[in-house]
Amino acid sequence: MNEALEKKIERALRRVQKPARYIGSELHSVIKDPAQVAIRIAFCFPDLYEVGMSHLGMKILYSLYNAQPDIWCERAFMPDTDMVEQMKGLDIPLFALESRDPLLGFDFVAFTLQYEMSYTTILAMLDLGGIPLYARERDERHPIVIAGGPCACNPEPVADFFDLIILGEGEEVNLELCALYREVQERREYLRRASQIPGVYVPSLYDVEYHGDGTVRAVTPREGAPATVTKRIIRDVDKVFYPKEFIVPFISTVHDRAMLEVLRGCIRGCRFCQAGFIYRPFREKTAATLDGDAKALTSSTGFEEISLTSLSTSDLGEIEPLLDSMLDWTEQEKINLSLPSLRIDTFSPGLLEKIDRVRKSGLTFAPEAGTQRMRDVINKNIDEEEIFSSCRTAFEGGYTSVKLYFMIGLPTETEEDLGGIIDLSQRIVDLYYSLPTKPKGKAVNVTVSVSSFVPKPFTPFQYEPQDTTEQLIAKQRFLREQIKTRKITLKWHNSDVSHVEGILARGDRRLAPVLVDVYRQGHYLESWEDRFGVEAWHEAMARAGLSEAFYANRQRGFDELMPWDHLDYGVTREFLQRQNELAHAGTPTPNCRAQCAGCGANKLIGGNCF
């Protein structure tokens, strides 16, 4: 540690609101001797400390790296605006929490791409770290800048900023990249050889050409890079590395609890849901493994809550045996057991009884659409009776609050489908008051949370136009006007944010200068609504000569080459096209456990998923 820099940091910490974001030294943080390690990695989360410290992927990879004797992985987060002001005024570069060494001193600077609205924050962190924004501007003096995470399925808008990008699950491939670095440290040769590792995408080794209409003409690999990069997965998640301890923050975080990953993938196939396709195939852990991991985590951290984490927790084959075994000791030790991601069609009185033993807050369900026609279009595979049955079970079990998630702007949506959202919510209110077993003297509250549909890569709806901002605002207004009771609370998402997210989600490399422009206008941490400035995006797109409607609001043909088509996430293009056609026909597809739909992801595990 540079003593002069240390004094500057200490001075800055006395002037900011939450210094605990920047001090490190938490329980289970890892300190190593820099002279005794061969590889140093700064794991960067492009958001505030409270958000990043809630991210399970960071916890897993931090522990995985640090389990290797010659690797030291440290953490870095985006400072809040008050700390940024201090850092710029005192000439403090962005530093890692464990050593307080600047990012420039690391071998790898690794970012996770969790959501599109974090892209300008990545640029802010590179800039604060003194690292050139564009990969082509870096040389042997600079760290290798890498990325992974869900948005890596279409990294093209940020591809010019990264030296390499990891597709899929990282537990194995990250260690393979470190093994290669022990052999080869010359930058260009390292990247060329890294491109031969399955799941590693080196953007600089691919040339992109465009047609006159702006669509992609070709993506051509160079220097022996593969024509298609296939994502990495862990075949047996029951044996995959999982930490026995997490870092325990000094301050409250967004998810202030231990997290237990119970499965990967999803059997449902909701046609709008990117995670449900890019995390395929479905793989689950056994109850015995999960129970053991849960005991180890709660014992080592002291957290008073543990959350069972997945895309659909109630789809775990051994969910009830797991809850039985966990409830035996969590009740004794007064540890709250959280069960997010419950499916309406798997919500039984038996499951309610178990949930009721650990929590008594409101329940959350996701019908997604207000009419059966629309639920069939999106392949939600639930009917109205299942929705009312689950709400009835909850109300009869003593619950008086239900939160319902819906989406507007979905393909083929009509005014009748929109009206169905409020109609369904009103009938749930009526259901509560019709029950003789309802809690006496207590009113019901149905919270209707409405997000705006954003078409995403590797989904059957990747071809669909997104509603314009004006259309989304009109639909939000229509919903407000349909509500006739105070028992229903309506919440909605910022339509301007959804619009920009839509541009980035299906974007290409021509958006890189736009991102730099928006950042240079002073915008970062844009996943926080008060930091988001839509005018900056309009201006940057106009200066780049790019059409917002081209990226967000146009229909794509099945024969169009997508910016991400040289990346393989398991699901085939033919499957996505077939599902799109079934959506427009209003025909649902059974879940994967009931019947294989032939998505193609099973090739990644060399056999059937079930």
Side-chain angles (χ1 to χ4, degrees):
M1 160 57 68
N2 180 305
E3 288 188 14
L5 178 59
E6 176 73 14
K7 289 180 180 178
K8 289 181 181 180
I9 293 172
E10 291 300 325
R11 192 183 315 162
L13 293 178
R14 290 194 291 269
R15 300 173 178 174
V16 298
Q17 287 189 346
K18 294 185 178 180
R21 288 168 166 163
Y22 316 107
I23 61 175
S25 303
E26 311 99 319
L27 178 66
H28 300 314
S29 61
V30 176
I31 304 297
K32 294 187 179 184
D33 181 353
Q36 300 300 313
V37 297
I39 299 172
R40 295 188 67 182
I41 301 167
F43 194 125
C44 299
F45 195 97
D47 211 318
L48 298 178
Y49 175 93
E50 295 93 317
V51 179
M53 283 304 295
S54 300
H55 176 52
L56 181 58
M58 172 177 269
K59 299 173 192 291
I60 293 173
L61 293 178
Y62 179 87
S63 296
L64 175 74
Y65 280 132
N66 284 318
Q68 317 306 311
D70 68 339
I71 300 175
W72 187 13
C73 180
E74 304 181 47
R75 298 160 296 143
F77 304 92
M78 182 64 206
D80 207 346
T81 49
D82 57 349
M83 185 63 172
V84 171
E85 182 181 347
Q86 293 299 318
M87 291 170 70
K88 289 182 176 180
L90 295 169
D91 194 25
I92 300 171
L94 185 60
F95 55 90
L97 298 193
E98 282 75 2
S99 65
R100 292 192 179 176
D101 286 340
L103 296 192
L104 267 177
F106 287 77
D107 300 295
F108 293 94
V109 169
F111 286 90
T112 179
L113 308 178
Q114 289 296 308
Y115 28 83
E116 291 86 356
M117 299 313 297
S118 70
Y119 291 171
T120 52
T121 307
I122 292 170
L123 300 182
M125 293 181 74
L126 288 173
D127 206 19
L128 281 171
I131 300 170
L133 301 186
Y134 285 98
R136 62 178 178 267
E137 297 173 350
R138 300 181 200 126
D139 56 32
E140 303 298 331
R141 298 170 297 170
H142 302 113
I144 292 172
V145 181
I146 68 178
C151 289
C153 71
N154 177 29
E156 294 305 285
V158 292
D160 287 347
F161 308 131
F162 291 103
D163 296 301
L164 64 85
I165 295 167
I166 297 168
L167 310 185
E169 297 164 1
E171 287 92 342
E172 295 172 345
V173 66
N174 278 286
L175 296 184
E176 291 168 17
L177 284 167
C178 289
L180 177 63
Y181 191 74
R182 293 184 186 99
E183 295 178 35
V184 181
Q185 295 185 15
E186 193 278 319
R187 190 181 200 90
R188 192 68 198 174
E189 178 63 10
Y190 177 80
L191 293 177
R192 189 188 65 77
R193 289 183 57 180
S195 72
Q196 303 303 310
I197 297 175
V200 177
Y201 173 45
V202 180
S204 62
L205 298 182
Y206 294 79
D207 295 325
V208 183
E209 301 172 72
Y210 300 91
H211 291 293
D213 65 358
T215 58
V216 176
R217 179 182 178 187
V219 178
T220 307
R222 292 184 290 100
E223 300 182 37
T228 301
V229 184
T230 302
K231 77 165 184 174
R232 290 290 291 269
I233 69 160
I234 304 298
R235 291 192 176 199
D236 187 352
V237 296
D238 203 48
K239 296 177 181 176
V240 72
F241 173 88
Y242 203 75
K244 299 301 180 187
E245 57 190 35
F246 289 164
I247 294 175
V248 182
F250 289 130
I251 59 176
S252 295
T253 60
V254 173
H255 299 302
D256 201 15
R257 54 183 177 250
M259 289 184 284
L260 189 67
E261 182 191 41
V262 301
L263 57 86
R264 292 183 183 180
C266 185
I267 65 173
R268 298 295 171 171
C270 298
R271 291 169 179 143
F272 59 85
C273 179
Q274 186 181 57
F277 291 98
I278 66 171
Y279 292 143
R280 291 187 178 204
F282 182 83
R283 292 145 294 149
E284 56 188 343
K285 298 183 181 181
T286 63
T289 295
L290 292 167
D291 191 48
D293 286 346
K295 287 176 180 174
L297 277 177
T298 53
S299 174
S300 66
T301 62
F303 279 116
E304 296 178 347
E305 180 175 350
I306 186 163
S307 172
L308 304 187
T309 304
S310 75
L311 292 177
S312 182
T313 300
S314 48
D315 281 329
L316 181 71
E318 296 182 352
I319 181 64
E320 297 214 16
L322 173 64
L323 292 177
D324 286 336
S325 60
M326 289 187 68
L327 284 169
D328 285 343
W329 58 269
T330 54
E331 285 186 320
Q332 288 182 3
E333 298 181 24
K334 301 207 173 0
I335 295 170
N336 187 35
L337 185 58
S338 174
L339 289 153
S341 306
L342 293 176
R343 287 274 308 183
I344 285 178
D345 55 342
T346 55
F347 188 73
S348 64
L351 189 57
L352 174 67
E353 187 273 330
K354 291 178 174 59
I355 295 170
D356 201 33
R357 288 165 60 185
V358 294
R359 68 173 184 182
K360 198 68 177 181
S361 56
L363 291 170
T364 300
F365 298 118
E368 306 292 2
T371 63
Q372 192 59 47
R373 187 201 74 82
M374 196 74 247
R375 288 191 289 273
D376 289 343
V377 167
I378 64 176
N379 202 43
K380 189 63 184 175
N381 272 323
I382 57 171
D383 59 33
E384 200 165 89
E385 178 50 40
E386 287 171 319
I387 296 171
F388 283 107
S389 175
S390 293
C391 290
R392 184 182 300 109
T393 298
F395 293 150
E396 289 178 339
Y399 287 80
T400 61
S401 176
V402 172
K403 188 173 186 177
L404 303 175
Y405 282 115
F406 292 96
M407 197 172 290
I408 61 173
L410 288 160
T412 80
E413 183 178 71
T414 66
E415 189 173 283
E416 182 180 350
D417 296 318
L418 279 175
I421 292 174
I422 303 305
D423 178 63
L424 178 65
S425 305
Q426 180 61 57
R427 284 187 289 149
I428 290 172
V429 170
D430 297 340
L431 169 68
Y432 174 85
Y433 288 106
S434 73
L435 296 173
T437 55
K438 69 179 182 294
K440 292 183 179 179
K442 292 185 178 180
V444 69
N445 179 256
V446 176
T447 300
V448 178
S449 182
V450 178
S451 63
S452 300
F453 167 64
V454 178
K456 294 292 180 85
F458 294 104
T459 70
F461 290 160
Q462 67 178 8
Y463 309 99
E464 299 296 328
Q466 183 181 10
D467 274 3
T468 65
T469 301
E470 292 74 22
Q471 288 172 319
L472 292 172
I473 291 172
K475 290 179 178 182
Q476 292 165 351
R477 185 185 310 116
F478 174 82
L479 291 174
R480 286 200 308 271
E481 292 169 351
Q482 299 302 303
I483 297 174
K484 308 301 181 186
T485 173
R486 292 184 178 179
K487 304 293 190 296
I488 296 175
T489 303
L490 180 66
K491 297 181 179 180
W492 60 88
H493 192 60
N494 185 316
S495 54
D496 285 324
V497 174
S498 298
H499 172 68
V500 173
E501 184 183 338
I503 291 171
L504 296 173
R506 292 184 290 177
D508 53 46
R509 294 190 185 187
R510 292 171 298 183
L511 291 175
V514 174
L515 286 160
V516 174
D517 188 338
V518 173
Y519 165 61
R520 295 296 185 203
Q521 293 183 63
H523 291 277
Y524 55 87
L525 288 172
E526 290 193 288
S527 55
W528 299 83
E529 257 186 54
D530 60 335
R531 317 289 176 89
F532 173 75
V534 71
E535 290 305 320
W537 287 93
H538 294 325
E539 293 167 9
M541 289 290 287
R543 275 192 284 269
L546 297 174
S547 163
E548 297 179 36
F550 173 85
Y551 289 101
N553 310 123
R554 69 179 177 89
Q555 180 77 44
R556 286 142 172 88
F558 289 141
D559 58 346
E560 180 178 330
L561 184 65
M562 303 295 188
W564 54 88
D565 273 347
H566 56 300
L567 311 179
D568 178 10
Y569 270 72
V571 293
T572 66
R573 192 179 175 108
E574 293 75 21
F575 167 76
L576 297 176
Q577 178 178 332
R578 188 165 65 248
Q579 284 293 309
N580 183 280
E581 291 168 340
L582 288 172
H584 282 274
T587 305
T589 300
N591 73 66
C592 300
R593 235 192 254 279
Q595 178 184 317
C596 178
C599 74
N602 65 318
K603 71 177 183 284
L604 299 173
I605 54 173
N608 295 329
C609 300
F610 300 97

